[in-house]
Amino acid sequence: GAVVSQHPSWVICKSGTSVKIECRSLDFQATTMFWYRQFPKQSLMLMATSNEGSKATYEQGVEKDKFLINHASLTLSTLTVTSAHPEDSSFYICSARLAGSTDTQYFGPGTRLTVL
Amino acid sequence: GENVEQHPSTLSVQEGDSAVIKCTYSDSASNYFPWYKQELGKRPQLIIDIRSNVGEKKDQRIAVTLNKTAKHFSLHITETQPEDSAVYFCAANGAAGNKLTFGGGTRVLVKP
């Protein structure tokens, strides 16, 4: 149980284009999902908290117009990297928290974004 | 906000020996402390967690201890095996309790 999927697993795009990443909870409902960014050999940096049916809460320093988050259902959250640039290249990982739970997070497999 | 420090950053042990990773946190209101294992290029996997109402929790070769007074918690892996080689992250949930702050990670290498 508690399986989280992400799509795509990797993507290469040209500078200036937008990329959408999907995060799905497959066997449970998640009122809250989280989006992290991870640089090589570094820790997980929380970008934003995504709540179903409401606006995402962004961490300090994360541009909300750059990283658009939508959480339209209890099993799906999307992250759109708009007007991507090479510095946006990174490993993006989502996690989901069980509805009714206050803490335990289950992670997706991650999406490796490379912007040329 | 919460700040989590993790040590050491790298740890090399001989197969069969024990490994210990230590984390300190800053927010005394934190009450949930999970540990994740991440293999190269893969997702972090929850391996064990502890809540502030207990001081120790064990699951086979893995144990976690919590000292609320000192605001630190530790992961203990006994009888290490090569498949334990990975990066381990500790985390704490902070005052709001709705998000996790991660430590910097410990790269563990178990030498056969």
Side-chain angles (χ1 to χ4, degrees):
Chain A
V3 179
V4 178
S5 71
Q6 259 181 263
H7 179 80
S9 56
W10 59 271
V11 56
I12 301 173
C13 69
K14 292 183 178 180
S15 187
T17 61
S18 295
V19 175
K20 180 185 282 189
I21 303 169
E22 293 186 348
C23 178
R24 293 182 185 271
S25 54
L26 298 185
D27 53 0
F28 66 100
Q29 292 186 329
T31 51
T32 304
M33 290 184 174
F34 303 87
W35 287 96
Y36 294 85
R37 187 171 179 176
Q38 187 176 35
F39 291 104
K41 297 186 178 181
Q42 292 192 24
S43 188
L44 297 151
M45 184 188 76
L46 180 65
M47 298 174 65
T49 301
S50 168
N51 295 296
E52 186 265 339
S54 64
K55 291 183 179 180
T57 303
Y58 290 82
E59 295 299 300
Q60 191 173 6
V62 178
E63 298 176 58
K64 61 180 181 181
D65 295 330
K66 172 77 172 173
F67 299 99
L68 300 178
I69 291 172
N70 182 275
H71 193 159
S73 79
L74 287 172
T75 59
L76 173 65
S77 176
T78 60
L79 168 68
T80 301
V81 183
T82 63
S83 186
H85 288 94
E87 56 265 30
D88 298 324
S89 298
S90 190
F91 194 53
Y92 292 88
I93 311 180
C94 71
S95 71
R97 190 169 66 202
L98 276 73
S101 167
T102 58
D103 38 49
T104 306
Q105 294 182 28
Y106 299 93
F107 283 85
T111 297
R112 185 160 302 283
L113 170 64
T114 301
V115 185
L116 302 177
Chain B
E2 177 63 280
N3 182 49
V4 179
E5 300 278 343
Q6 184 171 344
H7 298 281
S9 57
T10 60
L11 180 60
S12 181
V13 297
Q14 207 65 40
E15 182 178 358
D17 288 348
S18 296
V20 180
I21 303 170
K22 299 182 179 180
C23 288
T24 60
Y25 61 99
S26 61
D27 192 335
S28 56
S30 285
N31 60 7
Y32 175 66
F33 308 91
W35 286 88
Y36 287 87
K37 174 184 179 182
Q38 186 180 29
E39 297 178 20
L40 188 62
K42 300 202 173 171
R43 78 183 80 200
Q45 297 267 21
L46 178 68
I47 57 172
I48 196 167
D49 56 15
I50 191 168
R51 300 177 194 277
S52 59
N53 58 344
V54 297
E56 184 173 356
K57 184 176 178 181
K58 190 173 181 180
D59 182 4
Q60 299 183 359
R61 297 186 297 106
I62 293 173
V64 57
T65 59
L66 171 65
N67 183 326
K68 287 189 295 182
T69 303
K71 289 190 282 188
H72 67 70
F73 56 113
S74 302
L75 178 72
H76 304 253
I77 307 173
T78 58
E79 300 173 28
T80 54
Q81 302 167 4
E83 52 265 37
D84 294 329
S85 296
V87 179
Y88 292 80
F89 293 99
C90 63
N93 65 341
N98 63 347
K99 61 181 183 180
L100 296 176
T101 299
F102 285 82
T106 298
R107 186 171 302 274
V108 174
L109 174 64
V110 180
K111 295 181 286 186

